[in-house]
Amino acid sequence: MKYCLVPIGFVERGLPRYKSRTKIRSKYEYIAVIRIYDEFLDGLIGLEEYSHLIIVFFMDKVEETRLLVKPWGDPKYPNVGIFSTRFPPRPNPIGLSVVELIKVGRKKIYVRGLDAWTNTPIVDIKPYDYHDMVKGVRVPQWFIDAWNKNYVEKRYYELVPWLGPT
Amino acid sequence: MKYCLVPIGFVERGLPRYKSRTKIRSKYEYIAVIRIYDEFLDGLIGLEEYSHLIIVFFMDKVEETRLLVKPWGDPKYPNVGIFSTRFPPRPNPIGLSVVELIKVGRKKIYVRGLDAWTNTPIVDIKPYDYHDMVKGVRVPQWFIDAWNKNYVEKRYYELVPWLGPT
């Protein structure tokens, strides 16, 4: 049994696929542009009343599935199951980014925090609401180490003061 | 262009499809059981180190798509676009629940907060981490009204003290 998705739009401006072509070092450093196809535009009505969204996309360039991964390939981290990470080579390469909504245009949405390459198909947009807000989250030590290195030390909280644990 | 998903498991115990068959009034009132198929079990390694997960499922019983909906069919709420709600009749009926992880068994995961019927196919499991934590969320007034009626007045914060805005 298979379940199939149709794109409702695509990433018009996302992360460049090849890191050498960009100076962007984080999904929080740029404003992504999502183009919604005309037949789905009515679905956006009222979206501007939310400050944050959950963007669901299909990582169509992922060609392999791995059940065990080493976070960022770094030997100091443990091997963990793919479902214990957000890495792409999943059985179903569905991507999910919590983003700040910057602007809703007529056919485009502008967001900060999208972790998708340019041209990635978008399959759903959901509002981020109170059901998504968790207090007192527990995560593995390898995640905390990476967070401190990538977000705290690089002062990303200046770009996205709304993000992260309290 | 279509993008297809394969189930990695299914909801062994979820919400009953017909409300008359249950006294459960909220996804937070019961412990859901998710069975993962044998070939994907390695992907669960390390999952128990997280307190919360994001469960991604395919709402296979949804038969219609509506771009405009009235929240809970209640005339006092405004018509809004489907992407401004979490309601099921979406162009791609992908469901997403932020849940509390109760236990990881050998082939099963026990969680609180799953908004899916029994037998719903599961397509992805993601850890809930610091990238999903947003402070100072803004939502529409209709959402706040519903939240106060459904969560605050019914004292669901006693069941799920980890949930909701600070």
Side-chain angles (χ1 to χ4, degrees), chain A residues 76-126:
Chain A
K76 74 170 177 288
Y77 294 125
N79 282 311
V80 289
I82 188 74
F83 302 127
S84 302
T85 78
R86 299 287 276 265
F87 293 101
R90 326 180 72 79
N92 295 301
I94 295 173
L96 188 163
S97 290
V98 171
V99 301
E100 179 186 2
L101 177 57
I102 304 293
K103 192 176 84 174
V104 182
R106 205 167 71 81
K107 301 186 173 194
K108 298 180 186 181
I109 302 171
Y110 301 77
V111 300
R112 185 185 292 275
L114 186 67
D115 203 10
W117 289 328
T118 301
N119 290 325
T120 300
I122 300 292
V123 294
D124 202 5
I125 295 173
K126 297 180 189 291

Side-chain angles (χ1 to χ4, degrees), chain B residues 102-118:
Chain B
I102 304 292
K103 192 176 85 175
V104 182
R106 204 168 71 81
K107 299 186 174 194
K108 298 180 186 183
I109 303 170
Y110 301 78
V111 300
R112 186 187 290 276
L114 186 66
D115 203 10
W117 288 329
T118 300

Side-chain angles (χ1 to χ4, degrees), chain A residues 1-8 27-28 36 39-54 56 58-60 65 67-68 78-87 90-98 101 121-144 147 151 161-166, chain B residues 1-8 27-28 36 39-54 56 58-60 65 67-68 78-87 90-98 101 121-144 147 151 161-166:
Chain A
M1 197 69 170
K2 282 200 172 193
Y3 303 100
C4 295
L5 307 173
V6 293
I8 61 160
K27 60 179 175 174
Y28 298 114
I36 303 298
E39 62 265 43
F40 299 109
L41 290 175
D42 281 350
L44 301 179
I45 292 170
L47 201 67
E48 71 287 349
E49 295 197 58
Y50 293 92
S51 60
H52 292 79
L53 305 175
I54 299 172
V56 186
F58 193 86
M59 299 182 281
D60 61 335
T65 297
L67 290 179
L68 282 172
N79 282 311
V80 289
I82 188 74
F83 302 127
S84 302
T85 78
R86 299 287 276 265
F87 293 101
R90 326 180 72 79
N92 295 301
I94 295 173
L96 188 163
S97 290
V98 171
L101 177 57
I122 300 292
V123 294
D124 202 5
I125 295 173
K126 297 180 189 291
Y128 184 99
D129 70 33
Y130 295 174
H131 300 95
D132 307 305
M133 301 180 79
V134 179
K135 290 165 272 205
V137 166
R138 184 167 50 79
V139 295
Q141 190 58 48
W142 66 261
F143 179 88
I144 296 174
W147 175 269
Y151 291 85
W162 48 267
L163 184 74
T166 39
Chain B
M1 199 67 171
K2 282 197 172 196
Y3 303 99
C4 296
L5 308 174
V6 292
I8 61 160
K27 62 179 175 173
Y28 298 114
I36 303 298
E39 62 264 45
F40 299 109
L41 290 174
D42 281 350
L44 302 179
I45 292 169
L47 202 67
E48 71 286 349
E49 294 197 60
Y50 293 91
S51 60
H52 293 79
L53 304 175
I54 298 171
V56 185
F58 193 86
M59 300 182 282
D60 61 334
T65 296
L67 289 180
L68 281 172
N79 283 311
V80 290
I82 188 73
F83 301 128
S84 302
T85 78
R86 299 287 276 264
F87 293 101
R90 326 180 73 77
N92 295 301
I94 295 173
L96 187 163
S97 291
V98 171
L101 177 58
I122 301 292
V123 295
D124 203 5
I125 294 173
K126 296 180 190 290
Y128 184 99
D129 71 31
Y130 295 173
H131 299 96
D132 306 306
M133 302 180 80
V134 178
K135 290 165 272 202
V137 166
R138 183 166 51 79
V139 295
Q141 190 58 47
W142 67 262
F143 179 88
I144 296 175
W147 175 268
Y151 291 84
W162 48 265
L163 183 74
T166 38

